[in-house]
Amino acid sequence: MKPKRSSKAQRLDIIATLPQPVIETILCLLPIEEAAMTSILSKNWRYKWTTIPILKFSHYSVNISTAESYLCNRWDISDLERERIYEDIMRKRSHAIHQVLLQRQGPIHEFNISMDADDTCFEIDQIILDLSRNHTLKKLTLNFDGSDSYALPLFVFSLRHLTNLYLNTCNINHIPIFNGFGSLTSLSLKCIMISKETFMQLLSKCPKLKSLYLHVFDGDPLGHEYHIIMELFKCLPVIEHLMTSGYFIRLSVQDLVPKELQISLNHLKYCTIEDMCFVDDHGLPFLCVLIKCSPNLGKIKLDLNSISINTNCCYDIKCAKFVEHASVKFEELSAQLEEYSAKLKEHLNVWLERLNEVEIKFFGNFKLELEFVKFILARSPGLTKVILRTYGVNKNEELEMLKILSRVPHISPFEIVVEIMSKRVYVYKL
């Protein structure tokens, strides 16, 4: 006698009998609209989606009509009509998010919203106000795209239990007197409009901050007011992972980098600097001071931006030297190059016992770049790997570079991984 096959409804019941945390984990992996659609499966599934602790909303979370989508992409409609359509779409999206929040039956641990917004988006204000009444929220992501920065409402700072905060394209006008984010360990600020005083007040109220990402555009006001590097590090006593991008170093440091900081970053283990430039007045001094004040640094990752130099000059990649451009004379650039090379010699007493990996992207094998690698090799007894993602460097130049590096005094053997932008990879053990 053949065994009787279970029906589809019975199979659904088997899934429904899984422990609630398992079901929540499964539903959290689905887009929020698909998770909500599970309510039609059966009576057992009607309210299961309302208890998932992670909510993520994006442009695609709410379907807009084909006609509205078509009108938004047309070029021959008036700005007034386009704005009306945009506001209608925002209302529909906000209404859908409100409906989800109203049907919630459990705590919210993570909330993520990624969509268009402008500086006066009252619908999103109301959503954040509803979240501010939830004392269980741990992670908040506000990722906006728009021509104007979204004006962050003050009640965001009432979310005192946050551990992770990500803000993109937001305007923080003023932070009132508040108790701070006592539990915040990770902060990411990308394209944020914020004053120096507000920025420092925010950091000073995050005593447990371990990870900080700062991305500053040239037009952001953060660096136009004051040089903040000294105050910045004083606000990061337990920082472990520091990432900077854009114009942060140039705008906040300029020519006022001291030889030593008044504070040691003893907890810093991982440093990432994007858009790094060796041949300006601040990149190399900042990096040297940071390394000197971080005795427990384990990894350095640099994304070079050597081609865009603020002295109206450019690199001759084939000759690996400066060339004259516009009114800048070659003799002046050569003198500048020697001046920057001397900056490395000011930090000969640096000793990085815990540094084990260095990664440099867009490595061009220029003199200062090569001198920096030699500087690190001679002062890092625990170094095990150097990754050089080269750009504009041919095979002969690579071999010459390896000969130079092999002659640098080093205590322990290490690997040099040379990765060409064309994905060819060479590994050399020295």
Side-chain angles (χ1 to χ4, degrees):
M1 183 177 179
K2 293 184 179 180
K4 193 173 182 179
R5 296 181 64 183
S6 59
S7 65
K8 182 178 181 180
Q10 289 175 324
R11 292 197 298 272
L12 286 175
D13 288 338
I14 294 175
I15 299 176
T17 56
L18 290 172
Q20 184 65 18
V22 176
I23 294 178
E24 290 178 358
T25 300
I26 295 173
L27 293 178
C28 284
L29 298 175
L30 298 175
I32 186 64
E33 65 273 18
E34 294 184 12
M37 289 175 63
T38 60
S39 61
I40 66 174
L41 294 177
S42 68
K43 291 182 179 181
N44 291 333
W45 282 89
R46 181 168 298 174
Y47 301 107
K48 289 187 180 297
W49 74 273
T50 63
T51 62
I52 58 177
I54 300 176
L55 299 178
K56 296 183 179 181
F57 299 93
S58 67
H59 300 280
Y60 309 103
S61 297
V62 181
N63 292 324
I64 60 176
S65 68
T66 304
E68 290 173 336
S69 178
Y70 171 71
L71 285 174
C72 285
N73 293 322
R74 284 184 56 178
W75 60 269
D76 57 341
I77 62 175
S78 66
D79 293 339
L80 183 63
E81 180 66 13
R82 190 183 303 276
E83 183 177 352
R84 186 195 64 78
I85 296 173
Y86 170 77
E87 291 177 353
D88 187 50
I89 293 173
M90 285 301 303
R91 281 194 296 269
K92 288 183 178 181
R93 288 172 173 166
S94 301
H95 178 73
I97 296 175
H98 278 300
Q99 291 300 310
V100 172
L101 294 177
L102 287 174
Q103 297 181 63
R104 293 285 310 157
Q105 296 186 11
I108 302 175
H109 295 159
E110 182 176 345
F111 187 87
N112 186 320
I113 183 170
S114 178
M115 59 179 59
D116 293 334
D118 55 26
D119 55 342
T120 57
C121 198
F122 301 109
E123 295 83 4
I124 294 180
D125 289 351
Q126 185 60 47
I127 293 171
I128 298 177
L129 178 60
D130 293 340
L131 288 174
S132 66
R133 298 164 181 160
N134 189 310
H135 300 294
T136 62
L137 190 64
K138 302 295 183 182
K139 299 181 180 181
L140 175 63
T141 297
L142 302 178
N143 184 17
F144 298 120
D145 294 316
S147 58
D148 298 319
S149 296
Y150 168 69
L152 199 69
L154 295 180
F155 34 79
V156 168
F157 302 101
S158 64
L159 296 167
R160 298 187 299 272
H161 301 283
L162 286 179
T163 60
N164 297 70
L165 177 60
Y166 177 95
L167 302 177
N168 180 18
T169 316
C170 294
N171 186 0
I172 306 177
N173 292 320
H174 176 66
I175 299 181
I177 298 175
F178 76 117
N179 295 327
F181 295 122
S183 302
L184 197 70
T185 59
S186 178
L187 175 63
S188 179
L189 302 176
K190 183 176 182 181
C191 306
I192 299 298
M193 306 292 287
I194 186 172
S195 67
K196 177 229 177 180
E197 288 81 3
T198 303
F199 179 64
M200 290 304 170
Q201 184 182 359
L202 173 61
L203 290 183
S204 65
K205 296 297 182 68
C206 303
K208 297 183 179 179
L209 194 62
K210 296 182 178 180
S211 176
L212 175 63
Y213 173 69
L214 295 172
H215 179 91
V216 180
F217 275 160
D218 193 11
D220 293 349
L222 178 62
H224 288 295
E225 299 179 0
Y226 304 98
H227 309 296
I228 64 171
I229 190 64
M230 293 290 291
E231 299 170 72
L232 173 65
F233 287 116
K234 289 180 181 179
C235 294
L236 304 173
V238 297
I239 194 70
E240 296 181 1
H241 191 177
L242 178 63
M243 296 159 283
T244 69
S245 180
Y247 293 87
F248 170 73
I249 296 178
R250 178 167 68 84
L251 294 178
S252 61
V253 179
Q254 296 189 9
D255 58 347
L256 299 182
V257 179
K259 293 183 179 180
E260 293 187 20
L261 293 176
Q262 301 300 318
I263 186 173
S264 295
L265 304 176
N266 294 322
H267 298 274
L268 188 63
K269 300 176 182 178
Y270 186 12
C271 174
T272 301
I273 301 178
E274 298 178 355
D275 302 305
M276 171 69 187
C277 185
F278 277 103
V279 287
D280 54 23
D281 295 330
H282 43 271
L284 183 58
F286 170 81
L287 186 58
C288 289
V289 172
L290 179 64
I291 290 174
K292 187 173 183 178
C293 296
S294 307
N296 296 313
L297 196 60
K299 181 175 179 178
I300 300 173
K301 184 177 180 181
L302 305 177
D303 189 346
L304 301 186
N305 186 22
S306 300
I307 301 301
S308 57
I309 307 169
N310 64 347
T311 54
N312 296 324
C313 60
C314 61
Y315 272 122
D316 181 353
I317 294 179
K318 298 300 180 181
C319 299
K321 65 181 180 182
F322 287 120
V323 295
E324 186 176 359
H325 184 266
S327 61
V328 181
K329 296 182 179 180
F330 178 77
E331 292 78 7
E332 295 176 358
L333 296 175
S334 299
Q336 189 182 45
L337 186 62
E338 293 299 327
E339 178 186 348
Y340 295 149
S341 298
K343 293 183 184 296
L344 288 173
K345 298 179 182 179
E346 297 175 358
H347 302 276
L348 294 178
N349 58 339
V350 171
W351 194 250
L352 298 171
E353 294 185 1
R354 300 186 182 276
L355 187 65
N356 56 69
E357 184 175 331
V358 175
E359 180 179 347
I360 303 179
K361 188 177 180 181
F362 293 109
F363 185 81
N365 196 27
F366 303 123
K367 181 178 179 181
L368 269 181
E369 298 172 0
L370 194 58
E371 288 296 319
F372 175 75
V373 175
K374 291 163 61 177
F375 174 84
I376 292 295
L377 294 181
R379 291 160 180 81
S380 307
L383 192 65
T384 59
K385 183 179 291 187
V386 177
I387 303 175
L388 303 177
R389 306 185 189 278
T390 61
Y391 178 81
V393 180
N394 58 43
K395 185 64 176 179
N396 293 332
E397 292 172 336
E398 286 180 9
L399 293 176
E400 184 63 27
M401 173 188 68
L402 291 169
K403 289 180 181 179
I404 295 174
L405 296 180
S406 65
R407 293 194 291 265
V408 178
H410 51 274
I411 299 176
S412 57
F414 60 92
E415 289 184 354
I416 294 184
V417 179
V418 179
E419 180 177 324
I420 314 298
M421 299 307 290
S422 61
K423 303 303 181 182
R424 291 179 295 161
V425 179
Y426 305 94
V427 179
Y428 304 88
K429 292 187 177 181
L430 301 179

